Amino acid sequence: MASPGTGSAPYLAEMLFLQMADLKMTYVPYRGAAPAFSDLIPGRVDCYFGSGTLLSYARSGQVRVLASTGPTRNAATPDVPVIAEYVPGYEAVSTQSLFAPAKTPREIVGKISADTNTVLAEPAIRTKLAEMGYVAAGSSPEELGTLLRSEIARWSALIKSVGIRLD
């Protein structure tokens, strides 16, 4: 199982899968996603947990998507099952978030958030992101804060269980 590095988001998704499915696989760490994926294409490694940006390789027949890590099937790949269909409760979703320096005035943060949500609501933007396997979902700074606190708590338990040191 290729990984772009210990502690990376794909690595954590892999470790969660192995733990929840009670499987053992040989972990092959790489220095980044590109070399890991480059070894998947010719079959030097058996699998890799990648992002939607890799869908073009599946569409061209270079790799086969086995399952998605989200809670429901993705509109870009409706025939691809989600891991949770086989491993109940499994979910590993990456979130792309926009941050500003801590001392940014609240009204500026509000304006950036509102403008970002406006752009993410545009049909052309939603369509383009969906084609790449992403779901456009804006939120407020408060909602993002709640999500981040929840995700930190959730993934901290896995990080401890697989023995990743955070120092």
Side-chain angles (χ1 to χ4, degrees), residues 67-135:
S68 177
T69 61
T72 59
R73 290 187 182 217
N74 191 298
T77 54
D79 295 335
V80 174
V82 294
I83 291 174
E85 292 175 33
Y86 306 100
V87 181
Y90 180 90
E91 181 181 336
V93 179
S94 292
T95 302
Q96 303 301 313
S97 305
L98 183 59
F99 294 88
K103 295 187 184 213
T104 303
R106 198 157 191 61
E107 62 275 3
I108 302 283
V109 170
K111 173 79 169 122
I112 292 170
S113 178
D115 290 349
T116 300
N117 287 330
T118 298
V119 169
L120 289 175
E122 289 288 329
I125 298 294
R126 295 179 81 75
T127 299
K128 187 65 176 170
L129 289 171
E131 287 170 2
M132 296 186 301
Y134 294 104
V135 177

Side-chain angles (χ1 to χ4, degrees), residues 3 12 28 50 52 56 59 62 71 76 90 104 116 122 135:
S3 171
L12 294 176
V28 182
S56 63
R59 289 180 181 128
Q62 292 178 284
Y90 180 90
T104 303
T116 300
E122 289 288 329
V135 177

Side-chain angles (χ1 to χ4, degrees), residues 8-61:
S8 65
Y11 171 82
L12 294 176
E14 293 166 353
M15 294 302 109
L16 180 64
F17 171 69
L18 294 176
Q19 190 177 76
M20 290 182 72
D22 194 27
L23 294 172
K24 303 270 187 264
M25 293 187 85
T26 301
Y27 166 62
V28 182
Y30 286 82
R31 292 182 181 252
F37 194 71
S38 292
D39 271 359
L40 177 68
I41 292 171
R44 287 190 281 271
V45 291
D46 295 320
C47 61
Y48 174 74
F49 277 56
S51 69
T53 58
L54 302 174
L55 284 178
S56 63
Y57 294 94
R59 289 180 181 128
S60 70

